[in-house]
């Protein structure tokens, strides 16, 4: 049998057994995983899984799904309550550019993959690299799957205060990773308005801005009872 990188011999990142993910799942008795094929293993991993699914009417259907595994990520909404601002990033994103975004320059909350760190440590690292911000207090907000039909990534979403004093580094991201990231400081009300205009179109950023308005640092006082 021919050896394949990522399966029985190490791939470029030293990984083996990439075709084993999901074979031992037992949490759903209506799902039986039959086969996992490794389709691609460059930086991230593309798999095709075949499984039997017992439907609500009792019939069993055989399904195939492709999953893109890039690891889990973390993101943070940085906010300044006194000045009523948020600190975001702006960078080129080729996938949105090729799918209809005018120039691919997306405004987002600082974010990145965990790369072996716990979510809190990972987002502290990313905020420092991308925006030069040292985070103090860090509030977990929620963890979400943003594209559950095909992408396995779960994004751990945080919020944290910042001030001018906490911006101690140059930011900009890591040039060796192809990053060229600009800081974008906006009045919170203006950032929310940009959701309506489409200037902010990133899902995690929209969710965190809406959380900040409804339940977070910029929530309005509850109306008085009549």
């Amino acid at each position: 049998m021919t050896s394949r990188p990522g399966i029985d011999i190490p791939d470029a990142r030293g990984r083996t057994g990439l075709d084993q993910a999901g074979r031992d799942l037992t949490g759903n008795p209506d799902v039986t995983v039959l086969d996992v094929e490794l389709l691609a293993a460059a930086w991230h991993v593309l798999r095709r899984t075949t499984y039997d699914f017992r439907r609500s009417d009792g019939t069993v259907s055989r399904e195939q799904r492709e999953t893109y595994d890039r690891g889990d990520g973390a993101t943070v909404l940085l906010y300044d309550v006194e000045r009523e601002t948020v600190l975001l990033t702006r960078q080129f994103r080729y996938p949105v550019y090729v799918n209809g975004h005018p120039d691919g320059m997306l405004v987002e909350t600082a974010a990145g993959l965990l790369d072996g760190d716990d979510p809190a440590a990972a987002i502290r690292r990313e905020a420092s690299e991308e925006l030069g911000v040292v985070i103090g207090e860090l509030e977990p907000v929620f963890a979400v799957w943003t594209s559950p039909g095909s992408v396995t990534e779960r994004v751990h979403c945080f919020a944290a205060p910042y001030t001018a004093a906490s911006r101690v580094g140059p930011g900009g991201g890591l040039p060796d990773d192809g990053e060229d990231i600009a800081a974008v400081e906006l009045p919170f009300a203006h950032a929310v308005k940009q959701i309506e205009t489409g200037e902010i179109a990133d899902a995690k950023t929209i969710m965190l801005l809406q959380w900040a308005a409804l339940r977070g640092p910029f929530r309005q006082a509850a109306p008085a009872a009549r």
Side-chain angles (χ1 to χ4, degrees):
M1 186 175 73
T2 303
S3 297
R4 287 192 58 194
I7 296 180
D8 47 5
I9 60 174
D11 67 1
R13 299 185 67 188
R15 301 169 299 189
T16 58
L18 295 178
D19 61 331
Q20 297 303 304
R23 292 181 183 271
D24 58 351
L25 291 174
T26 59
N28 189 334
D30 294 326
V31 177
T32 302
V33 175
L34 303 174
D35 189 34
V36 181
E37 303 169 75
L38 181 63
L39 302 181
W43 191 253
H44 306 310
V45 181
L46 180 64
R47 301 179 177 91
R48 178 167 55 216
T49 299
T50 304
Y51 59 91
D52 282 346
F53 176 64
R54 185 165 61 243
R55 304 169 66 87
S56 56
D57 63 3
T59 62
V60 175
S61 61
R62 184 150 298 177
E63 309 286 349
Q64 280 192 332
R65 294 292 185 273
E66 292 182 5
T67 57
Y68 187 56
D69 182 357
R70 60 192 304 271
D72 288 346
T75 189
V76 64
L77 176 66
L78 296 169
Y79 62 87
D80 186 328
V81 172
E82 290 189 6
R83 296 190 299 128
E84 298 186 353
T85 60
V86 291
L87 187 62
L88 306 173
T89 68
R90 186 171 186 266
Q91 60 183 306
F92 178 70
R93 296 293 203 182
Y94 180 76
V96 306
Y97 184 45
V98 78
N99 193 32
H101 191 281
D103 60 7
M105 301 300 294
L106 214 61
V107 176
E108 310 172 44
T109 49
L113 296 178
L114 302 188
D115 286 337
D117 287 335
D118 66 79
I123 199 52
R124 290 180 187 278
R125 179 193 71 228
E126 294 297 328
S128 176
E129 291 176 357
E130 295 186 0
L131 293 170
V133 171
V134 175
I135 293 177
E137 177 186 356
L138 187 64
E139 178 182 0
V141 178
F142 39 65
V144 295
W145 284 272
T146 58
S147 189
S150 57
V151 180
T152 63
E153 180 185 19
R154 176 167 48 181
V155 181
H156 300 265
C157 299
F158 296 89
Y162 80 98
T163 64
S166 60
R167 297 181 67 180
V168 299
L174 302 178
D176 288 347
D177 288 347
E179 295 179 335
D180 183 16
I181 300 172
V184 178
E185 188 172 58
L186 294 173
F188 176 73
H190 186 49
V192 172
K193 186 66 175 178
Q194 286 194 353
I195 298 174
E196 300 175 17
T197 63
E199 294 169 89
I200 291 180
D202 171 66
K204 63 184 182 295
T205 306
I206 292 172
M207 289 188 292
L208 280 169
L209 288 172
Q210 292 180 336
W211 165 83
L214 294 172
R215 302 190 62 184
F218 298 106
R219 66 185 179 275
Q220 300 298 314
R226 295 183 179 179

